[in-house]
Amino acid sequence: MEDADIVALYWQRDQGAITASDEKYGTLCHSLSFNILQTHEDAEECVNDTWHRAWDTMPPQKPNSLRAYFCRIVRNLSIDRWRSRYSQKRGEGMGSLVLELEECVPAVPSAEEQWETEEISAAVERWLRQQKAEDRRLFVSRYFYGAAVRDLAAGLGGSPNGAAQRLRRLRQSLRRALEQEGVTL
Amino acid sequence: MSRESERLLEAMNSLSDTTLEENVPVTAGKKRSWKKWAALAASLAVVVLGVGIFTGFIPLLGGRAGQSGSGSGGASVFMSYAGPVFPLTLREENAAIEAQRNITLDFAPWVPVWISNQEEANSCTWLTEEERQEVLELHNEHFPEGGRYESSTDILVTDSYTLTNTSAEDQHLTVLYPFVSGLENLEENRPALAADGAELETTLRMGTYAGGFEGVWGADDPEGTTNLVYPHSWTDYQALLSDGSYLENALGPGPDVTGVPVIVYKLTNPYSPERDEEAGITNPTLRVTFSLDYDRTTILTYGFHGASYDREAGVMMQDFSIPQPGQPDYGSKEYYLLVLGADVENMTIQGYANGSLEEDAPKLEGCGATVERYESDLDTMLRQLLPLIWEEAGQEGADFEMYYRAFLEQLLAYGVLSDEPVERYDTGWLEFIEGGMVRVCWLEAQVTVPAGETVSLTASMTKAGSYDFDCTGTDNVGVCGYDLVTRLGSNLACSAQTATLEDRGQIEIVRQNFGFDLEQGTATVTLDPAEEHYYLEVRASGAGKQQ
């Protein structure tokens, strides 16, 4: 089914939207979430929550790229869950305090924060455009989609160590690029 | 995770659609094998109606795909299984003691509590008045009715025993009360023990990890041992406890590795030319290469994070990135290779311009470290290294001896020192060994029952429900399960067992084998001692009709 048709189903409040989303993007979303969380149960739950979130947000949203839309949602949910788990693991330490205080952080980021995030993102985007297509794919696959190094290596036809080395080089290169652009984190 | 890397991670989420579309990983994930989404839209409607009423669905112990009413004896196999309530036991079986048990399942935490937006904002006492106002406005936006109802799906369990001394002599008992918990949430799960209303002083005894391991792709990967798999039904606990060895181990001393000699190679003050990308020095790395007989030597490490194992050639490489000026570990981090068994040979240390372990990795001159070789024992070394691992994991303040034992038991049972190490720990990197996962713990206490008299012993606890993950579309979404076992792991002769349900008007029963009947007012039932397992599965009253 075409993405536009799936979006239309969401707008029509047709439950088939979720089935179609899961059929088309379930594996990708699960894989992305699993790469972050490393447990299938948690990943499955994040994917479920992704469809839930999509149901809640379409309408009014009408994403151009449904794949990117779902991937962003599932990635955010997975990172949140990872943080929560990490914080629980840390017990009553700093992690818990941070988590508690996160309740006080407005759900909508401040205009300044939003602007900064977009600036960082734009700088990363510019840097990505300067990289070779293969390196670009390697970096985004790893740091957006969370793919495992050994899987990426297999996809590229090289060794895991080779892929890890390339990633290290790319990280260093990004760091330099961000420094040169005066982007502070 | 540092705030900086976290921001970068977040910023990646704002990459353009085009970038994300163009760079989908080429690695193909395996197909998932399930889905029943037909019921989702209906359940979404319920969620919309019930927003704010039920919260606190925190995944507990992992689990398998939920199956309603298909488990042992008709109980469901929930995706997240909280474990049963176990019966009290005695350290030494005592024929003079006769017991009666009544267990109360109280659904008081299910009663919704109103939390007003104003209350919520006022509770943020650390904020300025202006910020509190913003919080209030935010809450008013989300909850325009001025607040929300919140409740929990925990229940309060009171497991009471009347212990009667049928002999003419006082009986001094060591009682053991079991419960399921991970080490991280011990305080939430730990029952309070009282004798005749007075709180008892207790000692915690903990069992080993109660779960197992499975492959990354679950049933499709039967030989795999990379992921944790937690107990998912009471029968898993039955297998764990029925022969008594698990408890025996928990009551005994932890493993003693003081007599295990280790040869320590300690690397400090690693140095290298500074990172220089243009010169190709992207990640100055120190690699330690040595020969060993894999059958006679085991290597544990701390601080290393790259490795290559060539069993056939009898060679191992371990490496780490040399911290650069400005990095937190610069000049302070220590790196350890612990050799158990025959010493390694032909050790060389070589710098590389990057972390590659390939043959053609570019060598880097001007690298090195201070290497110290000495002999010690495994206990001394682990006691030295575990705090360092904790410091990095932010686990300060935990009970060292408790975690040390858990860590050691995990290492010996599943790590490279085990006869059958699992994939999860097969690197030998000590930082990978976990110690906090779910297990059966016991509270041990001393109780005296005077001759011919009775003592009332009570264990009170908050017990989480078992459940299927929200929106998975299983028939059991919205259903919470609670269960108990009547005899498992207990040597206490209970002449009678009863169970009482305090439903608080909050639930409807979906499945059970207790015999409660809310309509007829049957809230206390006698349990059959021949029935090992009782279960109660409920949902919020009215939720069934809504569905």
Side-chain angles (χ1 to χ4, degrees), chain B residues 520-545:
Chain B
Q520 299 298 319
T522 309
T524 296
V525 294
T526 300
L527 304 182
D528 177 359
E531 179 64 58
E532 277 202 82
H533 179 238
Y534 280 90
Y535 61 92
L536 173 66
E537 297 174 16
V538 305
R539 64 160 63 95
S541 52
K545 281 177 196 159

PDB file of all heavy atoms in Angstrom, chain B residues 520-545:
ATOM      1  N   GLN B 520     -22.220 -12.814  44.291  1.00  0.00           N
ATOM      2  CA  GLN B 520     -22.820 -13.525  45.422  1.00  0.00           C
ATOM      3  C   GLN B 520     -22.177 -13.131  46.756  1.00  0.00           C
ATOM      4  O   GLN B 520     -22.572 -13.620  47.811  1.00  0.00           O
ATOM      5  CB  GLN B 520     -22.652 -15.050  45.233  1.00  0.00           C
ATOM      6  CG  GLN B 520     -23.323 -15.607  43.987  1.00  0.00           C
ATOM      7  CD  GLN B 520     -24.833 -15.402  44.006  1.00  0.00           C
ATOM      8  OE1 GLN B 520     -25.478 -15.566  45.043  1.00  0.00           O
ATOM      9  NE2 GLN B 520     -25.395 -15.012  42.871  1.00  0.00           N
ATOM     10  N   GLY B 521     -21.181 -12.292  46.672  1.00  0.00           N
ATOM     11  CA  GLY B 521     -20.528 -11.843  47.902  1.00  0.00           C
ATOM     12  C   GLY B 521     -19.573 -12.857  48.504  1.00  0.00           C
ATOM     13  O   GLY B 521     -19.249 -12.782  49.689  1.00  0.00           O
ATOM     14  N   THR B 522     -19.121 -13.797  47.708  1.00  0.00           N
ATOM     15  CA  THR B 522     -18.149 -14.770  48.222  1.00  0.00           C
ATOM     16  C   THR B 522     -16.749 -14.176  48.085  1.00  0.00           C
ATOM     17  O   THR B 522     -16.134 -14.213  47.019  1.00  0.00           O
ATOM     18  CB  THR B 522     -18.225 -16.091  47.416  1.00  0.00           C
ATOM     19  OG1 THR B 522     -19.583 -16.499  47.376  1.00  0.00           O
ATOM     20  CG2 THR B 522     -17.360 -17.166  48.038  1.00  0.00           C
ATOM     21  N   ALA B 523     -16.279 -13.621  49.184  1.00  0.00           N
ATOM     22  CA  ALA B 523     -14.988 -12.933  49.143  1.00  0.00           C
ATOM     23  C   ALA B 523     -13.910 -13.704  49.894  1.00  0.00           C
ATOM     24  O   ALA B 523     -12.732 -13.356  49.799  1.00  0.00           O
ATOM     25  CB  ALA B 523     -15.120 -11.532  49.724  1.00  0.00           C
ATOM     26  N   THR B 524     -14.284 -14.702  50.643  1.00  0.00           N
ATOM     27  CA  THR B 524     -13.287 -15.541  51.322  1.00  0.00           C
ATOM     28  C   THR B 524     -13.533 -16.989  50.926  1.00  0.00           C
ATOM     29  O   THR B 524     -14.676 -17.464  50.979  1.00  0.00           O
ATOM     30  CB  THR B 524     -13.382 -15.391  52.850  1.00  0.00           C
ATOM     31  OG1 THR B 524     -13.060 -14.037  53.195  1.00  0.00           O
ATOM     32  CG2 THR B 524     -12.397 -16.316  53.562  1.00  0.00           C
ATOM     33  N   VAL B 525     -12.459 -17.636  50.512  1.00  0.00           N
ATOM     34  CA  VAL B 525     -12.604 -19.022  50.062  1.00  0.00           C
ATOM     35  C   VAL B 525     -11.540 -19.882  50.722  1.00  0.00           C
ATOM     36  O   VAL B 525     -10.478 -19.389  51.124  1.00  0.00           O
ATOM     37  CB  VAL B 525     -12.451 -19.139  48.523  1.00  0.00           C
ATOM     38  CG1 VAL B 525     -13.591 -18.443  47.807  1.00  0.00           C
ATOM     39  CG2 VAL B 525     -11.105 -18.568  48.067  1.00  0.00           C
ATOM     40  N   THR B 526     -11.859 -21.146  50.844  1.00  0.00           N
ATOM     41  CA  THR B 526     -10.888 -22.100  51.379  1.00  0.00           C
ATOM     42  C   THR B 526     -10.088 -22.665  50.215  1.00  0.00           C
ATOM     43  O   THR B 526     -10.652 -23.035  49.177  1.00  0.00           O
ATOM     44  CB  THR B 526     -11.621 -23.244  52.107  1.00  0.00           C
ATOM     45  OG1 THR B 526     -12.383 -22.661  53.172  1.00  0.00           O
ATOM     46  CG2 THR B 526     -10.636 -24.246  52.689  1.00  0.00           C
ATOM     47  N   LEU B 527      -8.777 -22.701  50.387  1.00  0.00           N
ATOM     48  CA  LEU B 527      -7.924 -23.219  49.315  1.00  0.00           C
ATOM     49  C   LEU B 527      -7.662 -24.703  49.533  1.00  0.00           C
ATOM     50  O   LEU B 527      -7.536 -25.159  50.675  1.00  0.00           O
ATOM     51  CB  LEU B 527      -6.599 -22.454  49.276  1.00  0.00           C
ATOM     52  CG  LEU B 527      -6.706 -20.932  49.137  1.00  0.00           C
ATOM     53  CD1 LEU B 527      -5.317 -20.315  49.059  1.00  0.00           C
ATOM     54  CD2 LEU B 527      -7.524 -20.542  47.906  1.00  0.00           C
ATOM     55  N   ASP B 528      -7.577 -25.383  48.428  1.00  0.00           N
ATOM     56  CA  ASP B 528      -7.316 -26.819  48.476  1.00  0.00           C
ATOM     57  C   ASP B 528      -5.798 -27.023  48.487  1.00  0.00           C
ATOM     58  O   ASP B 528      -5.110 -26.638  47.527  1.00  0.00           O
ATOM     59  CB  ASP B 528      -7.932 -27.457  47.217  1.00  0.00           C
ATOM     60  CG  ASP B 528      -7.650 -28.946  47.141  1.00  0.00           C
ATOM     61  OD1 ASP B 528      -6.968 -29.475  48.046  1.00  0.00           O
ATOM     62  OD2 ASP B 528      -8.114 -29.571  46.165  1.00  0.00           O
ATOM     63  N   PRO B 529      -5.263 -27.606  49.548  1.00  0.00           N
ATOM     64  CA  PRO B 529      -3.797 -27.767  49.612  1.00  0.00           C
ATOM     65  C   PRO B 529      -3.248 -28.625  48.475  1.00  0.00           C
ATOM     66  O   PRO B 529      -2.061 -28.565  48.155  1.00  0.00           O
ATOM     67  CB  PRO B 529      -3.560 -28.429  50.974  1.00  0.00           C
ATOM     68  CG  PRO B 529      -4.894 -28.886  51.457  1.00  0.00           C
ATOM     69  CD  PRO B 529      -5.947 -28.124  50.732  1.00  0.00           C
ATOM     70  N   ALA B 530      -4.132 -29.417  47.871  1.00  0.00           N
ATOM     71  CA  ALA B 530      -3.666 -30.241  46.750  1.00  0.00           C
ATOM     72  C   ALA B 530      -3.464 -29.381  45.492  1.00  0.00           C
ATOM     73  O   ALA B 530      -2.774 -29.788  44.553  1.00  0.00           O
ATOM     74  CB  ALA B 530      -4.681 -31.345  46.458  1.00  0.00           C
ATOM     75  N   GLU B 531      -4.087 -28.211  45.489  1.00  0.00           N
ATOM     76  CA  GLU B 531      -3.928 -27.313  44.326  1.00  0.00           C
ATOM     77  C   GLU B 531      -2.692 -26.453  44.581  1.00  0.00           C
ATOM     78  O   GLU B 531      -2.656 -25.664  45.519  1.00  0.00           O
ATOM     79  CB  GLU B 531      -5.179 -26.439  44.185  1.00  0.00           C
ATOM     80  CG  GLU B 531      -5.139 -25.457  43.030  1.00  0.00           C
ATOM     81  CD  GLU B 531      -5.089 -26.140  41.672  1.00  0.00           C
ATOM     82  OE1 GLU B 531      -6.005 -26.923  41.355  1.00  0.00           O
ATOM     83  OE2 GLU B 531      -4.103 -25.893  40.950  1.00  0.00           O
ATOM     84  N   GLU B 532      -1.703 -26.610  43.739  1.00  0.00           N
ATOM     85  CA  GLU B 532      -0.444 -25.905  44.007  1.00  0.00           C
ATOM     86  C   GLU B 532      -0.492 -24.429  43.649  1.00  0.00           C
ATOM     87  O   GLU B 532       0.228 -23.623  44.220  1.00  0.00           O
ATOM     88  CB  GLU B 532       0.679 -26.560  43.197  1.00  0.00           C
ATOM     89  CG  GLU B 532       1.253 -27.778  43.871  1.00  0.00           C
ATOM     90  CD  GLU B 532       2.640 -28.061  43.344  1.00  0.00           C
ATOM     91  OE1 GLU B 532       3.589 -27.427  43.827  1.00  0.00           O
ATOM     92  OE2 GLU B 532       2.756 -28.893  42.431  1.00  0.00           O
ATOM     93  N   HIS B 533      -1.334 -24.081  42.679  1.00  0.00           N
ATOM     94  CA  HIS B 533      -1.268 -22.726  42.123  1.00  0.00           C
ATOM     95  C   HIS B 533      -2.653 -22.117  42.013  1.00  0.00           C
ATOM     96  O   HIS B 533      -3.570 -22.745  41.454  1.00  0.00           O
ATOM     97  CB  HIS B 533      -0.622 -22.802  40.727  1.00  0.00           C
ATOM     98  CG  HIS B 533      -0.518 -21.480  40.032  1.00  0.00           C
ATOM     99  ND1 HIS B 533      -1.091 -21.245  38.807  1.00  0.00           N
ATOM    100  CD2 HIS B 533       0.089 -20.319  40.393  1.00  0.00           C
ATOM    101  CE1 HIS B 533      -0.825 -20.004  38.427  1.00  0.00           C
ATOM    102  NE2 HIS B 533      -0.111 -19.424  39.373  1.00  0.00           N
ATOM    103  N   TYR B 534      -2.809 -20.938  42.552  1.00  0.00           N
ATOM    104  CA  TYR B 534      -4.074 -20.202  42.402  1.00  0.00           C
ATOM    105  C   TYR B 534      -3.800 -18.906  41.651  1.00  0.00           C
ATOM    106  O   TYR B 534      -2.779 -18.248  41.884  1.00  0.00           O
ATOM    107  CB  TYR B 534      -4.669 -19.893  43.777  1.00  0.00           C
ATOM    108  CG  TYR B 534      -5.401 -21.076  44.369  1.00  0.00           C
ATOM    109  CD1 TYR B 534      -4.728 -21.998  45.177  1.00  0.00           C
ATOM    110  CD2 TYR B 534      -6.747 -21.281  44.110  1.00  0.00           C
ATOM    111  CE1 TYR B 534      -5.384 -23.093  45.698  1.00  0.00           C
ATOM    112  CE2 TYR B 534      -7.415 -22.381  44.632  1.00  0.00           C
ATOM    113  CZ  TYR B 534      -6.737 -23.285  45.419  1.00  0.00           C
ATOM    114  OH  TYR B 534      -7.393 -24.364  45.926  1.00  0.00           O
ATOM    115  N   TYR B 535      -4.735 -18.556  40.787  1.00  0.00           N
ATOM    116  CA  TYR B 535      -4.554 -17.335  40.017  1.00  0.00           C
ATOM    117  C   TYR B 535      -5.857 -16.548  39.963  1.00  0.00           C
ATOM    118  O   TYR B 535      -6.953 -17.111  40.030  1.00  0.00           O
ATOM    119  CB  TYR B 535      -4.076 -17.644  38.588  1.00  0.00           C
ATOM    120  CG  TYR B 535      -5.048 -18.489  37.793  1.00  0.00           C
ATOM    121  CD1 TYR B 535      -6.019 -17.895  36.986  1.00  0.00           C
ATOM    122  CD2 TYR B 535      -5.010 -19.881  37.865  1.00  0.00           C
ATOM    123  CE1 TYR B 535      -6.925 -18.662  36.274  1.00  0.00           C
ATOM    124  CE2 TYR B 535      -5.914 -20.657  37.158  1.00  0.00           C
ATOM    125  CZ  TYR B 535      -6.872 -20.045  36.366  1.00  0.00           C
ATOM    126  OH  TYR B 535      -7.772 -20.809  35.675  1.00  0.00           O
ATOM    127  N   LEU B 536      -5.688 -15.250  39.863  1.00  0.00           N
ATOM    128  CA  LEU B 536      -6.826 -14.342  39.765  1.00  0.00           C
ATOM    129  C   LEU B 536      -6.487 -13.331  38.684  1.00  0.00           C
ATOM    130  O   LEU B 536      -5.447 -12.662  38.762  1.00  0.00           O
ATOM    131  CB  LEU B 536      -7.023 -13.624  41.111  1.00  0.00           C
ATOM    132  CG  LEU B 536      -8.071 -12.501  41.147  1.00  0.00           C
ATOM    133  CD1 LEU B 536      -9.476 -13.055  40.916  1.00  0.00           C
ATOM    134  CD2 LEU B 536      -8.018 -11.761  42.486  1.00  0.00           C
ATOM    135  N   GLU B 537      -7.328 -13.252  37.674  1.00  0.00           N
ATOM    136  CA  GLU B 537      -7.078 -12.302  36.591  1.00  0.00           C
ATOM    137  C   GLU B 537      -8.273 -11.374  36.500  1.00  0.00           C
ATOM    138  O   GLU B 537      -9.420 -11.832  36.395  1.00  0.00           O
ATOM    139  CB  GLU B 537      -6.838 -13.043  35.281  1.00  0.00           C
ATOM    140  CG  GLU B 537      -5.577 -13.901  35.376  1.00  0.00           C
ATOM    141  CD  GLU B 537      -5.348 -14.789  34.162  1.00  0.00           C
ATOM    142  OE1 GLU B 537      -5.983 -14.537  33.109  1.00  0.00           O
ATOM    143  OE2 GLU B 537      -4.561 -15.732  34.278  1.00  0.00           O
ATOM    144  N   VAL B 538      -7.993 -10.091  36.554  1.00  0.00           N
ATOM    145  CA  VAL B 538      -9.080  -9.112  36.649  1.00  0.00           C
ATOM    146  C   VAL B 538      -8.845  -7.967  35.674  1.00  0.00           C
ATOM    147  O   VAL B 538      -7.741  -7.769  35.177  1.00  0.00           O
ATOM    148  CB  VAL B 538      -9.165  -8.530  38.082  1.00  0.00           C
ATOM    149  CG1 VAL B 538      -9.313  -9.630  39.116  1.00  0.00           C
ATOM    150  CG2 VAL B 538      -7.956  -7.665  38.408  1.00  0.00           C
ATOM    151  N   ARG B 539      -9.905  -7.225  35.444  1.00  0.00           N
ATOM    152  CA  ARG B 539      -9.758  -5.950  34.762  1.00  0.00           C
ATOM    153  C   ARG B 539     -10.593  -4.941  35.525  1.00  0.00           C
ATOM    154  O   ARG B 539     -11.400  -5.306  36.387  1.00  0.00           O
ATOM    155  CB  ARG B 539     -10.173  -6.041  33.298  1.00  0.00           C
ATOM    156  CG  ARG B 539     -11.635  -6.352  33.061  1.00  0.00           C
ATOM    157  CD  ARG B 539     -12.045  -5.945  31.641  1.00  0.00           C
ATOM    158  NE  ARG B 539     -11.335  -6.681  30.612  1.00  0.00           N
ATOM    159  CZ  ARG B 539     -11.782  -7.774  30.019  1.00  0.00           C
ATOM    160  NH1 ARG B 539     -12.966  -8.277  30.384  1.00  0.00           N
ATOM    161  NH2 ARG B 539     -11.103  -8.380  29.090  1.00  0.00           N
ATOM    162  N   ALA B 540     -10.388  -3.678  35.214  1.00  0.00           N
ATOM    163  CA  ALA B 540     -11.143  -2.629  35.897  1.00  0.00           C
ATOM    164  C   ALA B 540     -12.626  -2.826  35.627  1.00  0.00           C
ATOM    165  O   ALA B 540     -13.012  -3.141  34.490  1.00  0.00           O
ATOM    166  CB  ALA B 540     -10.697  -1.260  35.391  1.00  0.00           C
ATOM    167  N   SER B 541     -13.431  -2.666  36.650  1.00  0.00           N
ATOM    168  CA  SER B 541     -14.856  -2.913  36.448  1.00  0.00           C
ATOM    169  C   SER B 541     -15.391  -1.949  35.400  1.00  0.00           C
ATOM    170  O   SER B 541     -15.077  -0.764  35.402  1.00  0.00           O
ATOM    171  CB  SER B 541     -15.624  -2.769  37.761  1.00  0.00           C
ATOM    172  OG  SER B 541     -15.315  -1.549  38.368  1.00  0.00           O
ATOM    173  N   GLY B 542     -16.165  -2.493  34.495  1.00  0.00           N
ATOM    174  CA  GLY B 542     -16.714  -1.665  33.409  1.00  0.00           C
ATOM    175  C   GLY B 542     -15.849  -1.681  32.174  1.00  0.00           C
ATOM    176  O   GLY B 542     -16.311  -1.405  31.070  1.00  0.00           O
ATOM    177  N   ALA B 543     -14.569  -2.025  32.328  1.00  0.00           N
ATOM    178  CA  ALA B 543     -13.666  -2.003  31.167  1.00  0.00           C
ATOM    179  C   ALA B 543     -14.078  -3.051  30.143  1.00  0.00           C
ATOM    180  O   ALA B 543     -13.976  -2.835  28.933  1.00  0.00           O
ATOM    181  CB  ALA B 543     -12.229  -2.231  31.605  1.00  0.00           C
ATOM    182  N   GLY B 544     -14.569  -4.180  30.611  1.00  0.00           N
ATOM    183  CA  GLY B 544     -14.988  -5.244  29.709  1.00  0.00           C
ATOM    184  C   GLY B 544     -16.130  -4.797  28.823  1.00  0.00           C
ATOM    185  O   GLY B 544     -16.129  -5.026  27.606  1.00  0.00           O
ATOM    186  N   LYS B 545     -17.099  -4.088  29.425  1.00  0.00           N
ATOM    187  CA  LYS B 545     -18.246  -3.622  28.638  1.00  0.00           C
ATOM    188  C   LYS B 545     -17.798  -2.612  27.603  1.00  0.00           C
ATOM    189  O   LYS B 545     -18.229  -2.599  26.469  1.00  0.00           O
ATOM    190  CB  LYS B 545     -19.272  -2.981  29.577  1.00  0.00           C
ATOM    191  CG  LYS B 545     -20.119  -4.018  30.307  1.00  0.00           C
ATOM    192  CD  LYS B 545     -21.068  -3.346  31.281  1.00  0.00           C
ATOM    193  CE  LYS B 545     -21.601  -4.365  32.268  1.00  0.00           C
ATOM    194  NZ  LYS B 545     -22.111  -3.757  33.481  1.00  0.00           N
TER     195      LYS B 545
END
